[in-house]
Amino acid sequence: PICFVAAAVSASNAEDQPDVSAVLSAYNQQGDPALYEDYYSNLKKFVESVLDCHRAELSQLFYPLFVHMYLELVYNQHESEAKSFFDRFHGDQECYYHDDLRVLSSLTKKEHMKGNETLLDFRTSKFVLRISRDSYQLLKRHLQERQNNQIWSIVQEHLYIDIFDGMPRSKQQIDAMVGSMTGEAKRDANKGKIFFGLLKEPEIELPLDDEDEEGENEEGKPKKKKPKKDSMGSKSKKQDPNAPLQNRIPLPELKDSDKLDKIMNMKESTKRLRLGPECLPSICFYTFLNAYQGLTAVDVTDDSSMIAGGFADSTVRVWSVTPKKLRSVKTASDLGLIDKESDDVLERIMDEKTASEVRILHGHSGAVYGISFGPDRNYLLSSSEDGTVRLWSLQTFTCLVGYKGHNYPVWDTQFSPYGYYFISGGHDRIARLWATDHYQPLRIFAGHLADVTCTKFHPNSNYVATGSADRTIRLWDILNVVEVHVFQALCGPIHALMFSPNGKFLASGATDGRVLLWDLGHGMLIGELKGHTDTVYALCFSRDGEILASGSMDNTVRLWDAVKVFEDLETDDFTTATGHINLIDNSQELLLGTYMTKSTPVTHLHFTRRNLLLAVGAYNPQ
């Protein structure tokens, strides 16, 4: 496996690989191995004796110093001292580093270090600490007075200390911003300009709906509805000042069927329920019973007509959840008999004899971990343990293409909101951007230090977000292959990402049960929603962004007041000097409802076009 330095580099460029021997040789600078425990415990005593305001900041030093001192002892073959050092101090480290420490505990000999990816990650990416100038001066003075050159040299060699002027940060502020494998993000990492606005909608005439006229006795009813439809049209004509240029990314042209679907969407939105704290959505839960094949991934079409599931037995299953059954296209000989000029040609090409409520797709040779419907409902993507992504036709229910590029399991794949493009991420730590008609990836996004566990397109299709087991989220510009934001305020691997409908915010869910909210314009953490007691696997904003739904392995769906989070946010809260804001712990005020299942972890959430919430999961008998 290839290890990548934190930068967007090409996977094929072998010259960019860090030289292992050069990386490890930095551990040659060594002091007396018998004194390492004394050095570390003396620093702990000093930090515990300083004023409370400095203690929280200086405590951040413990973990990176512990790792580098342990690795230095191992590299210089002081194995018994290294074991004693590890046993004595590993229990003092923060809970979110326990997985990393488990990997570290297996590195007990110098031979184990050669080619070890975790070690290379730690050595080639300096651990970032953000502390106030006063706390830094206090540390520097202490180390110089004690002449503790061993710790001082590790601080200078292996850590990047981002010093800011102002008051030291509190324990709560620090806890909200740390936890990733390489500490915090550097402040300049999130200063890049982002075009988070939505693209201008195409102008489509919305015809009057006959059903509306028949459905009401009042003759004036359609007239009342018409201004509503007009206002929707005028809204789409305005250009969002924060939006990228319409042609910045080449997008596929709208087909007639796409225009019909947009018209249907606009009609549905006129009947959409306006949600809020006083008007919560109804929730419809689809439970997979007796799913002995092992449900591993779920997706629902935008119009909520089909559900697809990926299973551990390597199959993909597609269900119709409307009275309309799934049908295949007729055979070539039958198609030749059809009048191609007829108005209902699309209906005539479907074979009624093949009508069925469920279709099973075979092709993968490993568990299916990611699944995604195309926006036009003609295609379905699936990613698997076998290292491939497959594109399936929902007209013929056959596999059209197998995309090979990942060397290991592919944990997630997602279609662009406009179709044609899709993103995949996997165990090889790489995210790849593809187009359906190219068998090679168009873009390679390298930078994560562990598996890419989830992927999500921005609503304007110019950016993708990737979540990783390295406890970071990275936002990538598709055009320039640039990492525009790195969000590192996490205490567990990321398993769910969701952009708000207006494109300004991003929600993330992780194994620690927290839901975090990020402002893309400022590149900052703006909210922390606590309540779940297990991994958050599913997130979904309502169609107008008023409510955020989260689903978890704790068998609950929770609804949060998204409007209140974002309205309470004042730009004054962003202090550019320190690069952090004060997070208010107001989760209970923002929680609008908790809905428990009997014993079903929530795998997927989806708001219909009228704002009914659909939740999906496989029943898990205890």
Side-chain angles (χ1 to χ4, degrees):
I2 300 169
C3 169
F4 289 89
V5 187
V9 294
S10 167
S12 59
N13 191 347
E15 292 173 12
D16 290 339
Q17 305 310 314
D19 175 20
V20 179
S21 55
V23 163
L24 294 176
S25 63
Y27 289 127
N28 273 328
Q29 305 159 358
Q30 56 166 320
D32 183 350
L35 295 176
Y36 272 48
E37 290 188 32
D38 291 342
Y39 294 149
Y40 193 82
S41 56
N42 286 340
L43 180 72
K44 279 192 72 173
K45 283 178 193 161
F46 160 69
V47 171
E48 283 159 9
S49 69
V50 299
L51 293 171
D52 287 357
C53 62
H54 299 297
R55 189 183 309 150
E57 287 198 325
L58 293 178
S59 295
Q60 296 176 82
L61 280 163
F62 292 150
Y63 174 68
L65 283 176
F66 168 80
V67 172
H68 285 298
M69 289 173 85
Y70 173 73
L71 291 175
E72 211 163 276
L73 287 169
V74 172
Y75 181 76
N76 292 295
Q77 298 179 313
H78 304 299
E79 290 167 20
S80 59
E81 287 90 345
K83 185 178 186 309
S84 170
F85 181 82
F86 189 92
D87 291 345
R88 182 172 171 189
F89 297 116
H90 82 276
D92 299 344
Q93 308 307 322
E94 297 281 5
C95 60
Y96 34 82
Y97 293 127
H98 284 180
D99 285 344
D100 300 342
L101 292 175
R102 203 173 299 120
V103 175
L104 197 67
S105 66
S106 64
L107 294 171
T108 54
K109 296 181 184 298
K110 185 176 180 179
E111 300 79 64
H112 298 164
M113 299 173 79
K114 288 172 184 169
N116 184 284
E117 291 178 356
T118 305
L119 169 69
L120 282 171
D121 293 339
F122 216 86
R123 272 295 299 116
T124 54
S125 308
K126 284 195 171 188
F127 197 93
V128 180
L129 296 172
R130 191 177 302 160
I131 59 178
S132 64
R133 192 170 297 282
D134 291 349
S135 298
Y136 178 71
Q137 295 297 351
L138 208 61
L139 171 72
K140 191 175 176 183
R141 196 158 55 244
H142 166 77
L143 293 176
Q144 286 174 343
E145 282 172 6
R146 290 296 183 98
Q147 294 187 325
N148 195 335
N149 297 330
Q150 196 58 35
I151 285 185
W152 185 239
S153 66
I154 288 178
V155 167
Q156 291 185 306
E157 175 74 26
H158 301 301
L159 309 189
Y160 175 89
I161 297 189
D162 184 0
I163 301 167
F164 64 86
D165 294 307
M167 291 288 290
R169 292 189 295 171
S170 67
K171 178 87 170 86
Q172 185 214 5
Q173 286 174 321
I174 292 167
D175 280 349
M177 299 301 289
V178 298
S180 94
M181 286 173 75
T182 52
E184 296 190 41
K186 295 180 185 178
R187 268 178 292 168
D188 57 2
N190 293 329
K191 293 283 191 246
K193 168 79 173 158
I194 286 198
F195 301 107
F196 55 77
L198 304 184
L199 296 178
K200 197 168 120 184
E201 285 290 323
E203 292 174 29
I204 299 172
E205 290 295 319
L206 185 58
L208 280 175
D209 194 341
D210 296 336
E211 290 173 20
D212 289 344
E213 294 178 43
E214 290 166 17
E216 294 291 336
N217 297 330
E218 300 168 24
E219 289 179 11
K221 185 71 176 177
K223 289 179 185 173
K224 283 183 188 172
K225 284 202 159 191
K226 200 171 178 187
K228 218 181 211 181
K229 293 169 185 173
D230 286 345
S231 69
M232 276 208 65
S234 63
K235 192 168 100 176
S236 66
K237 287 173 193 169
K238 287 183 185 171
Q239 180 67 42
D240 187 330
N242 294 307
L245 293 172
Q246 200 77 10
N247 58 354
R248 186 172 183 267
I249 299 287
L251 294 171
E253 285 184 26
L254 281 184
K255 302 191 289 288
D256 288 345
S257 57
D258 298 330
K259 289 177 183 173
L260 282 172
D261 194 51
K262 284 201 174 289
I263 288 171
M264 285 301 298
N265 196 349
M266 288 158 79
K267 283 181 182 176
E268 290 282 299
S269 64
T270 62
K271 302 167 188 171
R272 183 181 298 160
L273 188 65
R274 190 64 194 257
L275 301 179
E278 308 303 318
C279 180
L280 297 181
S282 298
I283 305 177
C284 174
F285 203 106
Y286 289 97
T287 304
F288 285 75
L289 296 172
N290 305 319
Y292 58 88
Q293 307 91 347
L295 181 70
T296 44
V298 177
D299 196 25
V300 179
T301 54
D302 184 67
D303 69 348
S304 314
S305 63
M306 289 185 279
I307 288 180
F311 291 86
D313 69 352
S314 76
T315 61
V316 175
R317 292 159 195 255
V318 185
W319 285 267
S320 170
V321 289
T322 66
K324 196 174 174 183
K325 295 191 172 179
L326 303 174
R327 298 168 301 167
S328 299
V329 173
K330 289 178 179 173
T331 60
S333 56
D334 290 342
L335 287 175
L337 306 172
I338 294 173
D339 176 11
K340 297 177 181 59
E341 301 304 318
S342 62
D343 293 338
D344 61 344
V345 65
L346 291 176
E347 187 61 29
R348 290 191 188 191
I349 64 173
M350 307 312 289
D351 188 352
E352 280 302 327
K353 292 182 213 145
T354 61
S356 163
E357 285 179 0
V358 60
R359 285 303 186 97
I360 303 176
L361 309 177
H362 297 278
H364 284 296
S365 57
V368 177
Y369 292 119
I371 207 150
S372 178
F373 279 107
D376 60 3
R377 299 181 301 287
N378 287 329
Y379 302 107
L380 177 71
L381 284 169
S382 60
S383 63
S384 165
E385 184 183 15
D386 62 17
T388 67
V389 179
R390 285 179 178 262
L391 180 71
W392 307 86
S393 165
L394 296 178
Q395 305 290 332
T396 60
F397 295 97
T398 55
C399 180
L400 302 176
V401 194
Y403 301 94
K404 296 175 181 176
H406 293 274
N407 299 322
Y408 296 98
V410 186
W411 302 126
D412 195 25
T413 186
Q414 279 281 325
F415 254 119
S416 151
Y418 295 89
Y420 185 61
Y421 299 109
F422 64 94
I423 184 89
S424 63
H427 180 57
D428 58 7
R429 310 166 170 209
I430 308 292
R432 288 172 166 81
L433 177 79
W434 311 74
T436 50
D437 58 0
H438 286 65
Y439 65 92
Q440 293 284 359
L442 305 179
R443 297 280 189 271
I444 290 175
F445 304 114
H448 281 294
L449 304 179
D451 300 30
V452 177
T453 48
C454 53
T455 56
K456 189 63 88 178
F457 264 93
H458 188 276
N460 68 25
S461 239
N462 280 247
Y463 302 93
V464 288
T466 54
S468 168
D470 68 6
R471 306 188 289 280
T472 69
I473 297 163
R474 293 168 196 259
L475 191 69
W476 307 87
D477 185 336
I478 286 175
L479 182 67
N480 307 316
V481 204
V482 174
E483 197 177 74
V484 283
H485 279 344
V486 184
F487 298 132
Q488 296 192 227
L490 312 150
C491 298
I494 317 304
H495 282 287
L497 293 170
M498 191 70 191
F499 286 99
S500 62
N502 62 10
K504 291 181 183 177
F505 306 103
L506 175 66
S508 66
T511 53
D512 61 1
R514 293 186 304 160
V515 175
L516 301 180
L517 299 165
W518 310 87
D519 179 284
L520 298 185
H522 295 89
M524 300 288 284
L525 177 67
I526 54 167
E528 184 181 20
L529 305 176
K530 297 176 185 172
H532 286 295
T533 56
D534 206 337
T535 304
V536 175
Y537 262 115
L539 291 168
C540 193
F541 281 96
S542 60
R543 291 288 173 144
D544 296 317
E546 316 92 333
I547 283 179
L548 172 65
S550 58
S552 164
M553 295 297 283
D554 64 9
N555 305 340
T556 66
V557 173
R558 291 174 190 258
L559 300 179
W560 310 89
D561 188 345
V563 173
K564 186 165 170 51
V565 181
F566 303 138
E567 274 184 353
D568 289 354
L569 181 70
E570 296 292 331
T571 46
D572 301 343
D573 289 343
F574 295 96
T575 48
T576 48
T578 56
H580 60 259
I581 63 167
N582 294 313
L583 283 180
I584 311 160
D585 189 6
N586 57 348
S587 297
Q588 291 312 305
E589 295 169 38
L590 300 169
L591 182 62
L592 301 176
T594 302
Y595 304 89
M596 303 191 73
T597 65
K598 187 176 180 184
S599 186
T600 305
V602 185
T603 311
H604 187 75
L605 292 168
H606 171 82
F607 274 98
T608 69
R609 291 171 175 179
R610 297 194 191 184
N611 269 339
L612 167 69
L613 178 58
L614 307 181
V616 189
Y619 178 69
N620 181 22
Q622 295 301 318

